[in-house]
Amino acid sequence: MFKLTYLSALLGCYVVFGGQMVYAQSAQTNDEGEIVDLATLHVVTEREYDAIVTDNTRDYSSYAATVGSKLPTVVRQIPQSVSIITSAQIRDRNVKTFDQLAERTPGLRVLRNDDGRSSVYARGYEYDEYSIDGLTAPMQSINGTLPNLIAFDRVEVLRGPSGLFDSSGEMGGVVNFVRKRPTKELQGVFNLGYGTRDYYVVDGDVSGPLNSSGTVRGRIVAQTSGESPRPAKNNNHHETFYGALDWDISPSTTLGLGYLYQQRKITPFNGLPTEADGSLLPLPDQTFVGSSWNDFTMDSHDVFADLKHHFADGSFAKVSTRYSDRHADSNYTFAGSTLDTQGFVAVTGLGTLIKQESFSIDASYSRPFRLGSTVNEWVVGADYHYANTDYDQARARSLGKVHYTDVERIAYVDLMGSAKAGLAGFSHSLTETTLKESGLYTKFVMRPTDYFTVIVGGRLGRYEIQSGDGVDKDSRSDTKFTGYGGVVLDLNEQNSLYASYSALYRPQESLGVDNKLLKPRHGSQVELGYKGAFFYDALNVRLSLYRMRDENAAASIPANNAQFTALGKRVMQGAEFEVSGQITDKWRIHAGYSYLDSDIEVGSTTRDDGIFLLMPRHTFNLWSTYDVTHALVLGAGINAMTSIESSQGVRGPGHATIDVMASYQLTERLKLQLNVDNVANRKYYARVGSFNTFNIPGKERTAKVNISYRF
């Protein structure tokens, strides 16, 4: 069913109709003579947006997003690049973790490691934190904190800095996960899956009213899954539990509570070493270069609360909080050198103990107002963010030299215990970091005419940061104003042009060689683009041109991973094209192309351009499904990128893989689905690194069968 949204009436109708929802429907007969709904006219308000979900729909697109803004905004009215990955896309592609999804999302680059521990990049910059319902928490890939997707309705991706509402964000942008909320009607789904490489999944999702009036609603989601995507003898396990409660205190006021638990048990794999001459090992190579006792465990707890109120005059207020607590520990080995001429390699080890705690609170108020004949919007708010991280690390410089096929036979070593005991050949480091941020922000959305929108805003932020080894710490504090500006020109009801400027000023937790905190990072982006909405808003098209500048980004020193240096001035520029949604009521698509070019204007170290070499210049992603019949759906996709090269000169050729899917609706409630990824079994390196590590082969062909029951 197509959705017809009158974008120009978004806020105006909200005021006119006093915050109520208005619908208009049309219908016609299909080939069988049945009456079918063709269109639904939505006059969007914040109240209605709370009910807009992609779960239980076949939608590949959404007309509104909250990422980069405190309030729901029509995508065409956001003057930056925004992608929305819906529940239907996640189900059709049968992905479980965010890095699995990001590999298939236009404009995102994944430096593959273990599922849930991979690094995700946009426009050359890593996402090192993520938002849930707009509230941030750290997302370092090494901590294994990339979210499992079962608890979320959709994923919103903003590319480029968002310093207006997120002072601690990254230049690459923001990833916002929108939680599944309790529903007013009873619904549920149960799913079982089995496949190659020891894949399995069992999950359930039940939601509905808890009282007769439906003013109290609850939802419970649980999932256990696992897979061995490489020759490790042990499976990687992922556990998720999510519970949510919504209470309508009054018709205009809603209190929401939520709890999310995630656990990972992984056998870490750092990839293959290179040959003695620095060339990659030929594939397929099924060797697990790591000990049989390699281990990584992560436990994550998130608690949410929000209070929303709609005023009679059309204004809206919201207070949201999020508390996060994570523990991750690891003990594993990997190659510490290139192979010698006989295939022998030095073995090194890494042990970590990471404790992370964060708290965020945000309060905002929005109010529509008139200027002449147009309706405009004002947003004002305040936020506070606290994060504390204890990073305990142990290294073994050498655990011996063995043939690389025999690394898994290395005798067990308690790396952390050995390092803390001061044994020869082991080193230990401890870093404790505390960050406190607070800010005041405001934004004006003004419409001088019905077809022209101006967005201006600013943020006054204050931060305090302290970091050190627990004994000798350095501290820094500062207050900084960052601005934001953008314009949107509606050419007609389907096509818009936009331009924006966004800035970022971010404190850094890394210590330099003098054991002092590095100076804050600062950068900016200019973006120009086009957005179109076709087929009654069912299909969204985006074209973006951008140029980003930043300086002072931290980079680790090869001789001492606990110390960092500030990089010089860098410029990232490129172009992106994306199309998502429905071409017809049977044909869905999500595709995109990105071009990225980097330039080091002022270099500080030989590693300045190291990470950017790992960013392919060209990437292309395509996924499409077609409803052959009412019951049968077929899908296929391509993920392709050009060559990459590490700072040490290890080069990975370009590659392309093909995924396919078929689903069949056995009954009204029972569905069978088959996914085959990398159907041609293409052999390639998904990531390259140094001569000894992070040269990680891409996943070989996998087949997964799922059966689901929905009520």
Side-chain angles (χ1 to χ4, degrees), residues 429-491:
S429 64
L430 172 64
T431 303
E432 298 178 3
T433 303
T434 300
L435 173 65
K436 299 177 182 179
E437 295 180 280
S438 58
L440 300 173
Y441 57 83
T442 189
K443 180 181 74 169
F444 290 89
V445 181
M446 295 173 290
R447 298 174 175 84
T449 71
D450 291 335
Y451 301 99
F452 186 64
T453 303
V454 178
I455 303 106
V456 294
R459 174 186 176 87
L460 182 64
R462 170 74 179 179
Y463 77 84
E464 300 175 12
I465 187 169
Q466 186 179 69
S467 184
D469 59 7
V471 178
D472 184 17
K473 293 185 177 181
D474 187 38
S475 60
R476 185 186 296 271
S477 62
D478 198 5
T479 302
K480 184 70 175 180
F481 177 83
T482 54
Y484 180 90
V487 294
V488 179
L489 175 63
D490 294 331
L491 304 177

Side-chain angles (χ1 to χ4, degrees), residues 416-613:
M416 186 65 69
S418 300
K420 288 186 175 182
L423 299 185
F426 295 84
S427 61
H428 175 257
S429 64
L430 172 64
T431 303
E432 298 178 3
T433 303
T434 300
L435 173 65
K436 299 177 182 179
E437 295 180 280
S438 58
L440 300 173
Y441 57 83
T442 189
K443 180 181 74 169
F444 290 89
V445 181
M446 295 173 290
R447 298 174 175 84
T449 71
D450 291 335
Y451 301 99
F452 186 64
T453 303
V454 178
I455 303 106
V456 294
R459 174 186 176 87
L460 182 64
R462 170 74 179 179
Y463 77 84
E464 300 175 12
I465 187 169
Q466 186 179 69
S467 184
D469 59 7
V471 178
D472 184 17
K473 293 185 177 181
D474 187 38
S475 60
R476 185 186 296 271
S477 62
D478 198 5
T479 302
K480 184 70 175 180
F481 177 83
T482 54
Y484 180 90
V487 294
V488 179
L489 175 63
D490 294 331
L491 304 177
N492 50 42
E493 291 185 353
Q494 291 79 40
N495 302 279
S496 301
L497 301 177
Y498 72 87
S500 65
Y501 169 87
S502 54
L504 181 137
Y505 183 85
R506 180 179 184 181
Q508 300 197 95
E509 303 174 359
S510 303
L511 298 172
V513 294
D514 57 357
N515 287 323
K516 301 294 184 181
L517 286 163
L518 298 180
K519 294 181 179 180
R521 292 182 60 190
H522 53 88
S524 62
Q525 173 186 266
V526 175
E527 181 172 332
L528 306 175
Y530 157 83
K531 293 183 180 181
F534 304 96
F535 306 125
Y536 304 106
D537 279 354
L539 185 72
N540 293 314
V541 178
R542 170 182 65 86
L543 175 64
S544 306
L545 305 174
Y546 63 89
R547 182 177 175 87
M548 309 169 69
R549 299 170 61 99
D550 82 313
E551 58 182 290
N552 291 337
S556 62
I557 299 174
N560 187 348
N561 289 320
Q563 294 182 327
F564 296 77
T565 186
L567 300 183
K569 296 180 180 179
R570 304 176 296 183
V571 175
M572 307 294 292
Q573 55 193 6
E576 297 170 342
F577 174 79
E578 184 179 29
V579 55
S580 63
Q582 296 178 218
I583 299 177
T584 71
D585 59 349
K586 296 182 179 181
W587 185 10
R588 297 165 185 84
I589 189 172
H590 189 189
Y593 162 81
S594 65
Y595 168 81
L596 177 65
D597 179 60
S598 63
D599 180 37
I600 310 299
E601 289 191 338
V602 180
S604 300
T605 72
T606 58
R607 300 185 69 245
D608 274 6
D609 60 349
I611 198 66
F612 298 114
L613 293 174

Side-chain angles (χ1 to χ4, degrees), residues 388-436:
N388 179 266
T389 301
D390 294 344
Y391 189 83
D392 214 355
Q393 183 183 89
R395 284 186 172 270
R397 290 188 289 274
S398 179
L399 296 175
K401 192 170 185 179
V402 300
H403 196 272
Y404 84 103
T405 59
D406 294 328
V407 175
E408 63 178 325
R409 297 189 176 96
I410 292 287
Y412 176 81
V413 179
D414 180 358
L415 297 166
M416 186 65 69
S418 300
K420 288 186 175 182
L423 299 185
F426 295 84
S427 61
H428 175 257
S429 64
L430 172 64
T431 303
E432 298 178 3
T433 303
T434 300
L435 173 65
K436 299 177 182 179

Side-chain angles (χ1 to χ4, degrees), residues 197 272 281-287 404 681 683-685 697 700:
R197 301 192 178 274
L272 299 170
L281 295 176
L283 297 177
D285 193 312
Q286 297 294 321
T287 306
Y404 84 103
N681 205 23
K683 308 299 191 298
Y684 65 99
Y685 278 90
E700 299 185 351

